[in-house]
Structures are given as structure tokens and as C-alpha cells.
């Protein structure tokens, strides 16, 4: 296969059950191999996508009453400047370039991703979930988050604090 166009897919629907479940969407490229004194090897890797850490705390939101048994079902994430899922290629000879989108005519495509939470955490406590997104140019676009609970849909909007999402980077998003 062509080492400059390894196919990678970031799905539109992701499932977050625990810290290890997000690894299903992670893609890494080996950037170095080191021989250890005992004859074994140590490899270095670079993440080709980006990680969003989403901290949800619905307690104290004006006008919202959370029931004791209310659960968080999903998180919808959208940026008005970028499609956050799809088919990409990775160039393993230049991992610093991250992922390159495969052009498939994005007109009319829903740009958002949805993170399902099968553990259905209680909405009355603070919760952290993760999502994998591609490196993208945000061009000042706003972020939109929809938290769907067993009883409510709650919308958040946030201005983009950075001009781009970079490969191998970690971004924290407080939704409180």
C-alpha cells in the first residue's frame, strides 16, 4: 500500500463508555524505534487525530431542574466551520501533517458528531466524556453542543478559542 495515503475513518457516531473505549477511534503513526539494552524495542507514536475532553456539569444552570434519576444519553458536537468526521488519509512518512480529508462533496452533509453514553451517567453529577475529531481549520467558527438527557435537551454555544484543531492535541471543553 501507499505509505503516503493510509485510509483512516473518524465516525460520525462515537460511543464513550470509559477512558479506554475512545481508543477505538484513535489512530497513531510510529515516529521512531529505539533499541533497548536487553534487545527489546521501544516505539514512539504520534496521534493523527485530536481529542476533545468534554466536562459536563448541569447543576446550577439557570432555569433547569434535574431530576434525581435523570441520565445523560448523548452529546452532539458541531462547529460551523468544519465537518468533524469522515474519511481521511495519513502520510506515515510525514506524521506531523496529521490527517488529510478525502474530498467527497461535503455539501448537505451533517457536520456534527454524536457521542453516545451507554453507561447513562446521572445528570445530577459532574461527568467527563471524550470524542475524537480530525485536525481542522476552524476559521473562527462557533462550537455548538447539545446534551440530551432522559428528560431534556440542553444547548451550549462556545466561541472557538483557537484557529485550528491540531493533530496530536488535546482540548478541554467545560460545559457548565
Amino acid at each position: 500500500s501507499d505509505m503516503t495515503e493510509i485510509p483512516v475513518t473518524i465516525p460520525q457516531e462515537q460511543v464513550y463508555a470509559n477512558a479506554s473505549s475512545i481508543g477505538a477511534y484513535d489512530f497513531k503513526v510510529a515516529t521512531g524505534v529505539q533499541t533497548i539494552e536487553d534487545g527489546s524495542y521501544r516505539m514512539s507514536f504520534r496521534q493523527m487525530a485530536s481529542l476533545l475532553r468534554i466536562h459536563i456539569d448541569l447543576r446550577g444552570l439557570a432555569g433547569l431542574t434535574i431530576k434525581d434519576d435523570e441520565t445523560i444519553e448523548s452529546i452532539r458536537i458541531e462547529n460551523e466551520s468544519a465537518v468533524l468526521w469522515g474519511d481521511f488519509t495519513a502520510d506515515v512518512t510525514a506524521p506531523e501533517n496529521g490527517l488529510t480529508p478525502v474530498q467527497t462533496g461535503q455539501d448537505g452533509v451533517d457536520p456534527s458528531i454524536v457521542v453516545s453514553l451507554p453507561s447513562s451517567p446521572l445528570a445530577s453529577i459532574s461527568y467527563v466524556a471524550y470524542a475524537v475529531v480530525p485536525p481542522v481549520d476552524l476559521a473562527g467558527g462557533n462550537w455548538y453542543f447539545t446534551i440530551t438527557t432522559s428528560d431534556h435537551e440542553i444547548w451550549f454555544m462556545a466561541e472557538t478559542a483557537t484557529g485550528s484543531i491540531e493533530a496530536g492535541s488535546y482540548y478541554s471543553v467545560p460545559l457548565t
Side-chain angles (χ1 to χ4, degrees), residues 89-100:
T89 59
D91 181 349
V92 298
T93 66
E96 67 279 1
N97 293 340
L99 299 174
T100 302

Side-chain angles (χ1 to χ4, degrees), residues 72-115:
I72 303 172
E73 308 298 326
S74 67
I75 308 162
R76 182 181 179 94
I77 306 165
E78 182 175 349
N79 187 288
E80 61 192 20
S81 298
V83 175
L84 300 174
W85 63 278
D87 294 322
F88 301 85
T89 59
D91 181 349
V92 298
T93 66
E96 67 279 1
N97 293 340
L99 299 174
T100 302
V102 175
Q103 299 302 323
T104 58
Q106 301 282 349
D107 291 339
V109 169
D110 180 357
S112 64
I113 60 173
V114 175
V115 179

Side-chain angles (χ1 to χ4, degrees), residues 29-153:
V29 170
T31 57
V33 178
Q34 178 184 12
T35 304
I36 307 300
E37 289 178 15
D38 66 2
S40 63
Y41 298 93
R42 179 178 297 149
M43 298 183 75
S44 300
F45 292 92
R46 174 165 169 66
Q47 288 181 306
M48 301 303 285
S50 302
L51 189 64
L52 293 182
R53 178 185 182 270
I54 305 153
H55 177 220
I56 301 167
D57 190 348
L58 303 176
R59 300 170 294 183
L61 288 180
L64 180 66
T65 302
I66 300 291
K67 296 178 183 175
D68 291 340
D69 62 346
E70 188 170 349
T71 58
I72 303 172
E73 308 298 326
S74 67
I75 308 162
R76 182 181 179 94
I77 306 165
E78 182 175 349
N79 187 288
E80 61 192 20
S81 298
V83 175
L84 300 174
W85 63 278
D87 294 322
F88 301 85
T89 59
D91 181 349
V92 298
T93 66
E96 67 279 1
N97 293 340
L99 299 174
T100 302
V102 175
Q103 299 302 323
T104 58
Q106 301 282 349
D107 291 339
V109 169
D110 180 357
S112 64
I113 60 173
V114 175
V115 179
S116 297
L117 306 172
S119 63
S120 300
L122 288 174
S124 60
I125 62 172
S126 179
Y127 185 75
V128 174
Y130 293 86
V132 172
V133 296
V136 290
D137 179 7
L138 298 176
N142 290 317
W143 287 97
Y144 300 95
F145 298 88
T146 304
I147 309 298
T148 302
T149 73
S150 52
D151 291 17
H152 296 94
E153 273 194 354

